[in-house]
C-alpha cells in the first residue's frame, strides 16, 4: 500500500515559488484503484511522479509497503512499479515483444520466462501474439498501442501500477472498451493502482476511491458514491456536475441491478401460439427468445397475435446487448435511444446471463439515495 | 576526348592520387568521429555548454580553408609538420566538428520526450536509455552529419594539395601551374566522382542503420 505523509512539492523559489503539491496526506489501500482527479494544474500528475521519484520531494514522505521511497534506489523502485503515460511512449525502434519485455530484461529474467509472459499479456489484452509480437509500434493503431503500453507496465507483474491519463490519447469509442477491459483485468489481478484522470466519468467508473485535488491540495478522498452524494464543498459539487443522479447511474453497474434469473425466456424452437399462451398466463409483456445459450431477440403479445409457426420467425432482434460491466448510465442511454426498456445481458462469449429493465435501474437509484438519507 | 586520353595514359598517377585523397579524408573522418560524437553526446546534458561548443565549431568552419592552412603552417612548423598531410588532416578534423557535433546533439535532444519519460519511469538508468533508445534513434541523423562532413572534406582536401598534402588536388594544382587543361579537368572529375560516390555510400549507410521500426514508419507514411 502507498502512504502519503504531508507530501509537498514546490517549484521555483522566492517570490515565484509555486506549491504544485501542498501538504497532501492520505493512504492507498492494497488492491484499490484510486483515481487522482482534478483540473489541469491541480497537482495530480506531479503527485504521481513524486511517487516513483521521477521528481524529488520538497517535504514530507511517501512510504510504499512500509519502506520510505527515499531509502530505496530510485531506479530499482521504478522497476518494481508499473508506469504508463498518456503519450504511451512505446519505443519506436523496438518490436512490440521487445517493448513489453523492457522491465523483465532490466530485471534479468531468462528468455523463456519473458516469452511466456509476453504471450500471456498479449492474450490478456486481446492482441494475437503471432500477429503482433514482431510488429513495430508505428504499424499499430492508437488503441492497440495503448494496450501494448498497459502490457508493458504490467510485464514484471508489479504490485503497484502508476498510470497518468493512460486512456487519454484514445478516441471515446475505443476508450470505453479499454476501460471495460481494464476493469476486467483488474478484477482478476487486484493490483494497487494510482490513476490520474481529469475525466470525472472515468474516475467514477474505474476508481474504487477518488482523490480530488485543487491547487495542489487534497480536497476530498472518498468512494465515488460518497463524492457524488456528499460532495464536501461547492467546488466539488460543481466539478461533479448538476446531473449527479445521472452520474450515480454512472457508477452503478449492470451486474448489480440485473435480473439473473428472469422467467420470461423461451427457446426459439417453440411454437408461437404456445409462447403467446405462456405470456398471457404469466402476464409477461415482453419475452426473451433464446437460440440455445445466446439471445436471439424478443417478442411481445402484439407481435405474436395471430401468428403461427416457430417463434423464431417473429422474433425482433435486440437493438443492443448489454455487458455486465456496463454502467447503468450507458444502459439507460441505450434504452432511451432504441425505445426498448428491457435489454439482455450477455457474458464475454455472447451467452445470455440475464435481463435488465428500466424498473431495475430506477430501483437501484432509489436504493442509493435512501441509504444516503439513512 | 583529350581528358580520357590523359587519364588512360596516366592511370597509375590518377589511381595513386585517388588513394592518397581517400586516405587523408578517411583518417580525418575517423578522428572527427571519435572526437565529435562523444562531445555531441556529452553536451546534451547542459544546454549552455552545448550552445558554446556549437558556436565554437561554427566559427571554426567559417575560416576559409586556405587561410586555415596558412594559420596552421607556422604553428605546426614548430614540430616540423607545417606542410604535408598533418596540417591537412588537422584542418579537416576541425571543419568536420560542426556537422558532427551539431547533428549528434540535435539527434539526441530531438528524441521525443515521452520516450525518455517512459524509459525513466520504467526503471532504465541514463546509460541504458542512451544505449537502447536515444542513440539508436539518433543514428540516422548522426550519419547524415558524417555524410556532410565526408563530402565537405573531399572538397577541402583537394585544396590541401597546395600545402603538399598530395591527393587529387595535385592534378588540379599542377594542371593550373602547367596550363595543362586536361589535367585540371581530370582532377576535378575525380574529386567530383569521389564525392558523389561517397555521398551515395553514406546515404545507403543511413538507410541501413535506421532502426527498422522507423524505416517502416517512413514507408507507411508515403
Amino acid at each position: 500500500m502507498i502512504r502519503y505523509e504531508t507530501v509537498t512539492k514546490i517549484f521555483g523559489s522566492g517570490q515565484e515559488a509555486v506549491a504544485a503539491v501542498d501538504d497532501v496526506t492520505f493512504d492507498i489501500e492494497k488492491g484499490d484503484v484510486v483515481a487522482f482527479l482534478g483540473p489541469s494544474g491541480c497537482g495530480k500528475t506531479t503527485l504521481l511522479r513524486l511517487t516513483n521519484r521521477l521528481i524529488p520531494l520538497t517535504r514530507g514522505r511517501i512510504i510504499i509497503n512500509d519502506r520510505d521511497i527515499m531509502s530505496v534506489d530510485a531506479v530499482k523502485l521504478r522497476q518494481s512499479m508499473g508506469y504508463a503515460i498518456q503519450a504511451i511512449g512505446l519505443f519506436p525502434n523496438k518490436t512490440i515483444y521487445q517493448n513489453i519485455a523492457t522491465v523483465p530484461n532490466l530485471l534479468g529474467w531468462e528468455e523463456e520466462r519473458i516469452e511466456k509472459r509476453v504471450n500471456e499479456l498479449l492474450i490478456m489484452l486481446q492482441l494475437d501474439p503471432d500477429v503482433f509480437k514482431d510488429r513495430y509500434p508505428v504499424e499499430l493503431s492508437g488503441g492497440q498501442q495503448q494496450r501494448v503500453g498497459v502490457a508493458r507496465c504490467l510485464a514484471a507483474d508489479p504490485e503497484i501500477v502508476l498510470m497518468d491519463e493512460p486512456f487519454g490519447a484514445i478516441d471515446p469509442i475505443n476508450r470505453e472498451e479499454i476501460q471495460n477491459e481494464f476493469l476486467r483485468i483488474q478484477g482478476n489481478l487486484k493490483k494497487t493502482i494510482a490513476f490520474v484522470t481529469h475525466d470525472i466519468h472515468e474516475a467514477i467508473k474505474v476508481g474504487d476511491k477518488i482523490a480530488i485535488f485543487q491547487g495542489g491540495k487534497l480536497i476530498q478522498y472518498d468512494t465515488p458514491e460518497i463524492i457524488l452524494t456528499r460532495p464536501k464543498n461547492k467546488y466539488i459539487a460543481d466539478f461533479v456536475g448538476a446531473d449527479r443522479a445521472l452520474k450515480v447511474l454512472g457508477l452503478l453497474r449492470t451486474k448489480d441491478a440485473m435480473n439473473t434469473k428472469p422467467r420470461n425466456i423461451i427457446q426459439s424452437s417453440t411454437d408461437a401460439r404456445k409462447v403467446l399462451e405462456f405470456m398471457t398466463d404469466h402476464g409477461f409483456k415482453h419475452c426473451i427468445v433464446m437460440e440455445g445459450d445466446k439471445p436471439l431477440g424478443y417478442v411481445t403479445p402484439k407481435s405474436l397475435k395471430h401468428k403461427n409457426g416457430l417463434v423464431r420467425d417473429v422474433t425482433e432482434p435486440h437493438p443492443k446487448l448489454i455487458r455486465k460491466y456496463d454502467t447503468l448510465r450507458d444502459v439507460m442511454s441505450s434504452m432511451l435511444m432504441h425505445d426498448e426498456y428491457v435489454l439482455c445481458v450477455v457474458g464475454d462469449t455472447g451467452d445470455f446471463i440475464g435481463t435488465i429493465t428500466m424498473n431495475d435501474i430506477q430501483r437501484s437509484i432509489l436504493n442509493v439515495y435512501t441509504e444516503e438519507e439513512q | 576526348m583529350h581528358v580520357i586520353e590523359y587519364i588512360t595514359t596516366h592511370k597509375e598517377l590518377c589511381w595513386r592520387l585517388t588513394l592518397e585523397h581517400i586516405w587523408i579524408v578517411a583518417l580525418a573522418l575517423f578522428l572527427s568521429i571519435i572526437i565529435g560524437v562523444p562531445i555531441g553526446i556529452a553536451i546534451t546534458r547542459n544546454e549552455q555548454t552545448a550552445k558554446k561548443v556549437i558556436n565554437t565549431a561554427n566559427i571554426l568552419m567559417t575560416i576559409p580553408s586556405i587561410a586555415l592552412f596558412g594559420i596552421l603552417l607556422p604553428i605546426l612548423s614548430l614540430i616540423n609538420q607545417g606542410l604535408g598531410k598533418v596540417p591537412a588532416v588537422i584542418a579537416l578534423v576541425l571543419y568536420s566538428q560542426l556537422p558532427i557535433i551539431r547533428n549528434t546533439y540535435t539527434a539526441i535532444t530531438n528524441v521525443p520526450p515521452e520516450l525518455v519519460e517512459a524509459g525513466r519511469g520504467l526503471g532504465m538508468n541514463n546509460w541504458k536509455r542512451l544505449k537502447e533508445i536515444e542513440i539508436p534513434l539518433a543514428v540516422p541523423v548522426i550519419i547524415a552529419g558524417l555524410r556532410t562532413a565526408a563530402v565537405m572534406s573531399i572538397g577541402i582536401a583537394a585544396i590541401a594539395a597546395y600545402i603538399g598534402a598530395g591527393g587529387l588536388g595535385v592534378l588540379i594544382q599542377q594542371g593550373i601551374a602547367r596550363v595543362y587543361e586536361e589535367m585540371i579537368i581530370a582532377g576535378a572529375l575525380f574529386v567530383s566522382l569521389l564525392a558523389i560516390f561517397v555521398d551515395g555510400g553514406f546515404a545507403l549507410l543511413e538507410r541501413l542503420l535506421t532502426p527498422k521500426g522507423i524505416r517502416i514508419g517512413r514507408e507507411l507514411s508515403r
Side-chain angles (χ1 to χ4, degrees):
Chain A
M1 75 117 143
I2 307 177
R3 162 161 289 161
Y4 295 99
E5 273 181 17
T6 65
V7 173
T8 305
K9 174 65 191 175
I10 299 181
F11 287 113
S13 58
Q15 296 282 26
E16 293 152 14
V18 163
V21 175
D22 196 348
D23 202 19
V24 167
T25 301
F26 70 104
D27 290 344
I28 298 183
E29 303 295 327
K30 189 163 141 81
D32 267 1
V33 175
V34 173
F36 292 3
L37 179 67
S40 288
C42 67
K44 54 194 196 293
T45 299
T46 309
L47 185 62
L48 194 80
R49 299 171 86 224
L50 286 168
T51 311
N52 65 355
R53 288 178 67 176
L54 283 179
I55 311 178
L57 279 170
T58 307
R59 276 199 293 274
R61 296 198 302 165
I62 300 180
I63 298 169
I64 296 185
N65 288 337
D66 298 322
R67 287 199 306 175
D68 191 326
I69 58 170
M70 297 307 292
S71 70
V72 186
D73 171 50
V75 168
K76 288 228 164 17
L77 177 72
R78 292 172 204 149
Q79 287 170 359
S80 73
M81 296 197 278
Y83 185 60
I85 54 178
Q86 179 175 10
I88 310 172
L90 291 184
F91 307 131
N93 57 319
K94 291 188 178 285
T95 59
I96 300 305
Y97 179 91
Q98 289 164 338
N99 263 285
I100 298 178
T102 304
V103 184
N105 272 323
L106 290 172
L107 294 173
W109 287 18
E110 307 96 54
E111 200 55 45
E112 248 182 68
R113 188 177 169 199
I114 297 183
E115 199 176 331
K116 197 158 154 265
R117 181 66 179 157
V118 172
N119 282 329
E120 199 180 300
L121 285 165
L122 284 172
I123 293 173
M124 182 163 64
L125 286 154
Q126 306 191 329
L127 294 168
D128 185 349
D130 296 318
V131 171
F132 287 97
K133 239 179 4 187
D134 297 317
R135 292 250 174 101
Y136 286 91
V138 73
E139 298 175 88
L140 269 54
S141 71
Q144 291 165 336
Q145 285 184 22
Q146 192 63 56
R147 286 172 220 242
V148 175
V150 173
R152 184 173 67 173
C153 83
L154 293 175
D157 202 15
E159 191 198 312
I160 298 177
V161 179
L162 305 178
M163 302 179 114
D164 187 354
E165 312 231 28
F167 309 139
I170 313 187
D171 60 273
I173 299 173
N174 277 314
R175 193 183 311 158
E176 201 184 302
E177 212 185 288
I178 210 181
Q179 281 167 350
N180 287 341
E181 258 176 54
F182 174 82
L183 286 168
R184 181 175 55 84
I185 294 175
Q186 170 63 359
N188 290 330
L189 299 179
K190 276 279 147 232
K191 297 213 174 287
T192 308
I193 302 183
F195 185 115
V196 169
T197 179
H198 63 273
D199 179 1
I200 183 144
H201 294 297
E202 188 169 76
I204 294 171
K205 181 170 177 180
V206 161
D208 293 319
K209 291 217 180 68
I210 304 180
I212 303 191
F213 296 90
Q214 187 199 13
K217 289 196 182 300
L218 175 64
I219 312 284
Q220 189 169 1
Y221 177 51
D222 268 316
T223 61
E225 287 85 347
I226 297 184
I227 290 194
L228 282 176
T229 53
R230 290 201 288 274
K232 215 173 215 175
N233 60 22
K234 185 170 183 311
Y235 166 73
I236 295 186
D238 288 343
F239 192 81
V240 165
D243 54 342
R244 289 193 295 144
L246 293 182
K247 288 216 176 74
V248 167
L249 284 183
L251 51 85
L252 297 171
R253 292 200 210 287
T254 305
K255 67 180 173 66
D256 300 320
M258 64 189 265
N259 184 351
T260 46
K261 288 187 176 13
R263 290 177 301 152
N264 54 340
I265 42 175
I266 36 100
Q267 284 294 330
S268 58
S269 46
T270 322
D271 189 78
R273 286 166 298 179
K274 287 229 165 37
V275 179
L276 185 55
E277 236 178 79
F278 173 70
M279 288 177 76
T280 0
D281 285 346
H282 288 90
F284 290 147
K285 296 215 174 33
H286 187 113
C287 197
I288 313 286
V289 180
M290 298 283 291
E291 186 81 46
D293 285 326
K294 301 208 186 332
L296 185 64
Y298 64 95
V299 286
T300 58
K302 193 162 154 211
S303 70
L304 287 172
K305 215 164 173 187
H306 305 312
K307 294 279 192 301
N308 297 319
L310 297 177
V311 73
R312 183 186 290 141
D313 304 323
V314 267
T315 304
E316 195 70 46
H318 285 110
K320 186 162 166 74
L321 295 172
I322 307 296
R323 311 293 299 275
K324 70 174 184 200
Y325 275 116
D326 287 352
T327 62
L328 292 185
R329 183 167 142 255
D330 293 341
V331 175
M332 188 158 99
S333 179
S334 298
M335 288 179 177
L336 291 169
M337 273 204 300
H338 302 289
D339 201 22
E340 262 310 314
Y341 299 96
V342 179
L343 293 176
C344 278
V345 187
V346 293
D348 290 328
T349 47
D351 285 357
F352 178 80
I353 50 179
T355 57
I356 181 135
T357 67
M358 186 57 105
N359 281 338
D360 293 331
I361 295 182
Q362 282 174 311
R363 219 176 316 123
S364 295
I365 297 202
L366 289 175
N367 283 340
V368 172
Y369 277 100
T370 0
E371 267 166 35
E372 179 202 347
E373 276 160 79
Q374 280 163 7
Chain B
M1 276 257 323
H2 298 299
V3 179
I4 309 236
E5 222 185 276
Y6 175 84
I7 295 173
T8 39
T9 40
H10 296 84
K11 261 199 310 242
E12 289 93 47
L13 177 67
C14 291
W15 182 236
R16 180 172 63 79
L17 291 175
T18 304
L19 287 180
E20 209 175 15
H21 201 101
I22 294 176
W23 161 243
I24 298 172
V25 171
L27 178 62
L29 201 60
F30 173 72
L31 292 172
S32 306
I33 294 173
I34 59 178
I35 297 174
V37 171
I39 293 181
I41 296 178
I43 59 174
T44 58
R45 299 303 192 99
N46 186 331
E47 210 186 310
Q48 308 291 34
T49 323
K51 281 205 192 115
K52 290 197 197 114
V53 169
I54 292 181
N55 269 339
T56 311
N58 201 359
I59 291 173
L60 275 177
M61 216 172 127
T62 58
I63 303 175
S65 47
I66 284 264
L68 187 57
F69 292 138
I71 295 171
L72 289 173
L73 200 136
I75 301 173
L76 293 174
S77 292
L78 297 174
I79 51 166
N80 219 5
Q81 294 290 345
L83 294 172
K85 295 200 172 49
V86 172
V89 170
I90 292 181
L92 290 179
V93 169
L94 290 174
Y95 282 126
S96 300
Q97 291 312 297
L98 179 67
I100 293 178
I101 294 180
R102 192 185 47 190
N103 274 38
T104 304
Y105 171 77
T106 308
I108 294 183
T109 52
N110 275 359
V111 169
E114 64 260 20
L115 298 184
V116 176
E117 166 147 4
R120 276 185 79 211
L122 289 169
M124 292 176 123
N125 62 23
N126 289 337
W127 281 121
K128 265 261 170 223
R129 237 176 39 234
L130 265 178
K131 191 175 98 145
E132 308 233 343
I133 299 162
E134 290 168 289
I135 291 182
L137 289 177
V139 157
V141 177
I142 296 179
I143 303 278
L146 299 183
R147 183 175 162 188
T148 305
V151 172
M152 178 182 67
S153 298
I154 291 173
I156 297 176
I159 303 178
Y162 279 91
I163 53 160
L168 289 165
V170 166
L171 291 175
I172 301 176
Q173 177 207 26
Q174 301 245 324
I176 293 177
R178 288 150 56 171
V179 194
Y180 193 164
E181 215 176 82
E182 287 78 5
M183 204 173 173
I184 301 175
I185 296 175
L189 197 64
F190 274 102
V191 172
S192 309
L193 286 176
L194 186 61
I196 293 172
F197 180 70
V198 167
D199 183 69
F202 269 97
L204 184 64
L205 190 66
E206 202 182 313
R207 254 204 96 226
L208 289 176
L209 290 180
T210 303
K212 192 161 169 211
I214 311 280
R215 233 189 301 148
I216 294 180
R218 291 209 192 127
E219 280 160 32
L220 285 176
S221 62
R222 239 174 254 145

